[in-house]
Amino acid sequence: MPLAGRPLVEWSIAAFRAAPSVRSIVVACPPGHVHDLADTDVAVVDGGATRARSVANALQVVGTELVAIHDAARPLVTPGLIEGVIATLLDDPEAVGAIAATPFTDTIKQVGENDPPQPGRNVLSTNGGVNALRPIETTLDRSRLWAAQTPQVFHAEGLREALAADPSVVAEATDEAMIVEAAGGRVLIHPAPAENLKVTTRLDLKLAELLLAER
């Protein structure tokens, strides 16, 4: 996906190259796309069927004590944020990892199961389908809620052990911190700027382009 004249992934690679603590970069690519980075100085491995499998494949060629995991879909990451997450981890000798995250500003509602469908009361879901109404179960305390982002930095051996611990957790995990937490590891929050957004929709892409233009 192009972003402001460059492939999306190149923005993240450039930020990591500029981070003083980073010694090498490994990119997990969808099978068939490894050639896209063939002329660069990064190591490239095949990705897997799940996020965790992709990370495990990349970890096989990582030889450093620490490893930072980052989503290519977060192209506005900065060297300063990368170094900040690393510093947060190193400040706590008991921690296995530290992650970039932002506090929620919206009020968060937890919903229950769908109500039985009733004529005239169905609503459109976010993916364009039709869902029955979903009643609110509770309002969560947003003062304790953070939206997890990347980079996420770990002691590499601790992450490897967590990936090998519980296959059911690993298969369902949406980030590495979740896997380490499930294995009993201590993971810290490092506050990240709201600009460290994830490009998921066309609107996100336009916003990322505007923010990059300001830089």
Side-chain angles (χ1 to χ4, degrees):
M1 176 65 69
L3 171 64
R6 303 170 70 180
L8 190 70
V9 66
E10 287 190 5
W11 293 100
S12 294
I13 291 173
F16 275 83
R17 280 195 183 114
S21 297
V22 174
R23 296 290 176 263
S24 59
I25 300 171
V26 183
V27 179
C29 281
H33 288 270
V34 170
H35 66 278
D36 294 344
L37 293 166
D39 295 328
T40 67
D41 60 352
V42 302
V44 184
V45 299
D46 277 337
T50 64
R51 177 191 178 96
R53 185 67 262 166
S54 295
V55 170
N57 289 353
L59 275 173
Q60 292 179 13
V61 296
V62 170
T64 50
E65 179 184 350
L66 301 183
V67 60
I69 313 295
H70 186 66
D71 298 324
R74 293 190 187 275
L76 285 103
V77 65
T78 63
L81 179 58
I82 296 165
E83 294 295 326
V85 180
I86 294 170
T88 293
L89 172 58
L90 295 179
D91 280 346
D92 187 337
E94 301 299 319
V96 178
I99 70 170
T102 55
F104 273 101
T105 56
D106 293 328
T107 298
I108 307 300
K109 305 291 186 181
Q110 180 174 307
V111 299
E113 298 295 329
N114 283 348
D115 278 344
Q118 298 180 31
R121 292 190 61 197
N122 285 347
V123 293
L124 287 177
S125 67
T126 55
N127 63 7
V130 177
N131 284 342
L133 296 171
R134 296 171 68 94
I136 295 171
E137 280 189 347
T138 187
T139 299
L140 303 179
D141 179 5
R142 70 183 182 188
S143 69
R144 300 179 61 194
L145 298 176
W146 289 72
Q149 300 182 351
T150 61
Q152 300 191 356
V153 182
F154 302 93
H155 290 283
E157 194 54 38
L159 179 56
R160 289 189 181 96
E161 292 174 359
L163 284 166
D166 188 337
S168 63
V169 172
V170 171
E172 299 297 327
T174 54
D175 75 346
E176 289 63 55
M178 179 178 174
I179 298 170
V180 172
E181 294 159 34
R186 177 177 169 85
V187 181
L188 308 173
I189 290 288
H190 179 86
E195 291 80 8
N196 189 39
L197 60 84
K198 186 175 183 180
V199 175
T200 306
T201 68
R202 290 286 177 180
L203 180 60
D204 298 331
L205 194 65
K206 291 180 180 179
L207 181 55
E209 287 177 344
L210 289 172
L211 292 170
L212 285 169
E214 289 183 355
R215 290 184 181 179

